[in-house]
Amino acid sequence: MQTDIDPRSLIGRKAFDRDGVKIGTIDEVYLDDATGTPEWAAVRTGLFGRDAFVPLAPSELDGGTLRVPFERTLIREAPDFGVGRHLSPRQELQLYHHYGLDVPAGPAPPLPDRAFGRVAGSES
């Protein structure tokens, strides 16, 4: 999905599964803690249903709707963490595994300071 979209503009849009079956309406968008890009959407699955988390990265914004490349059944069986709260790294990991997605690599560790332990001006 394009990463330059305003996450607030997703709220209220309809979401459809890979077969074009309506899943529900996007209630909330969750941003990646490190990058601030939209990562997950909470989709209300029915009038009295619950919110199901769907990944935004493999999904596509098509006009005014979100197309999620998974079957409705899989989406409805996604772990339920409730909405309105921060997703913990453990919860995100559960969602990645549920959808069979590769877990994104975290930030690269800092490079070691190659000058550490050497005297300035020495060759070794």
Side-chain angles (χ1 to χ4, degrees), residues 5 10 24 39 57 60 64 76 80 85 114 118:
I5 191 164
L10 291 172
E39 190 169 19
E60 294 180 359
R76 286 186 165 208
D80 184 6
R85 295 179 289 176
R114 298 185 192 272
R118 292 191 350 221

Side-chain angles (χ1 to χ4, degrees), residues 2-80:
Q2 63 190 75
T3 57
D4 61 340
I5 191 164
D6 179 2
R8 293 172 293 193
S9 71
L10 291 172
I11 296 173
R13 291 185 187 221
K14 304 295 180 207
F16 293 84
D17 75 357
R18 71 178 189 185
D19 299 320
V21 177
K22 182 180 172 188
I23 303 164
T25 304
I26 298 172
D27 274 348
E28 293 188 23
V29 175
Y30 291 76
L31 308 179
D32 180 87
D33 288 339
T35 65
T37 58
E39 190 169 19
W40 299 97
V43 177
R44 172 69 57 186
T45 58
L47 185 60
F48 299 106
R50 66 177 184 89
D51 282 85
F53 287 92
V54 297
L56 291 172
S59 301
E60 294 180 359
L61 200 53
D62 182 17
T65 62
L66 182 70
R67 303 261 179 218
V68 182
F70 299 101
E71 290 182 345
R72 183 178 183 186
T73 304
L74 181 67
I75 294 165
R76 286 186 165 208
E77 293 172 352
D80 184 6

